[in-house]
Amino acid sequence: MKIAMVAPEKLPLPGNGSVEICILGIARELAQRHQVTIISRQMQGLAATEQIDGITIQRVPATSPVMYTKAVIRLLSQQPYDVIQVDNRPRSMATIKRAFPRTPVVLYLHSLTFAQPGPSKLTLMKKLIGLPSIVNP
């Protein structure tokens, strides 16, 4: 399988943050059997494209979350992927899913930030990812 993993726009990969460490660890395991590309933010001193442990890391500009997501979509459009994993960014995941409606897009949340209890958070999450609202009888 060809798997794309989209890192959050805040820190580049490889990195020392817990999310970045987790993404790279999962990618290493997947790369033993699949073709894995991680998309991360550009950072001075890091190459635009790099190979680490059989994983391709491609870096795009991240001047804002919206611009980063647009750059990610442009990069994803260059070749087909069997699955796209978006880490910690529900809004970006929803935008990417709209751009690639026939490709499975998975949201991996590393914390409860977007999953706090309460009807307003649940409604927002469903709206972002396109799930129907549940109506209580």
Side-chain angles (χ1 to χ4, degrees):
M1 285 180 74
K2 288 181 68 173
I3 301 169
M5 300 175 75
V6 180
E9 75 286 345
K10 296 291 184 190
L11 298 172
L13 264 93
N16 295 324
S18 62
V19 172
E20 292 72 30
I21 291 168
C22 183
I23 292 170
L24 194 55
I26 292 169
R28 282 185 174 120
E29 290 297 317
L30 290 171
Q32 293 178 26
R33 293 175 294 286
H34 305 285
Q35 184 179 346
V36 179
T37 300
I38 297 174
I39 302 171
S40 180
R41 70 166 294 145
Q42 281 182 343
M43 186 66 77
Q44 188 173 356
L46 296 175
T49 302
E50 183 177 3
Q51 290 284 329
I52 297 176
D53 299 331
I55 303 158
T56 301
I57 299 178
Q58 294 189 289
R59 298 184 181 93
V60 298
T63 55
S64 73
V66 170
M67 295 309 291
Y68 178 71
T69 301
K70 288 180 180 182
V72 166
I73 290 170
R74 278 193 299 276
L75 187 62
L76 290 169
S77 296
Q78 294 177 6
Q79 60 180 301
Y81 289 93
D82 296 306
V83 66
I84 301 167
Q85 174 179 304
V86 179
D87 286 71
N88 255 18
R89 295 296 183 263
R91 291 180 200 273
S92 293
M93 187 276 304
T95 302
I96 290 167
K97 181 60 183 172
R98 283 192 296 276
F100 303 97
R102 290 190 164 94
T103 303
V105 179
V106 178
L107 175 63
Y108 183 161
L109 294 176
H110 294 258
S111 70
L112 297 176
T113 301
F114 298 104
Q116 297 299 316
S120 62
K121 285 274 190 175
L122 183 59
T123 300
L124 175 62
M125 282 297 295
K126 287 178 181 178
K127 181 179 177 187
L128 286 173
I129 62 175
L131 291 176
S133 294
I134 297 173
V135 178
N136 291 331

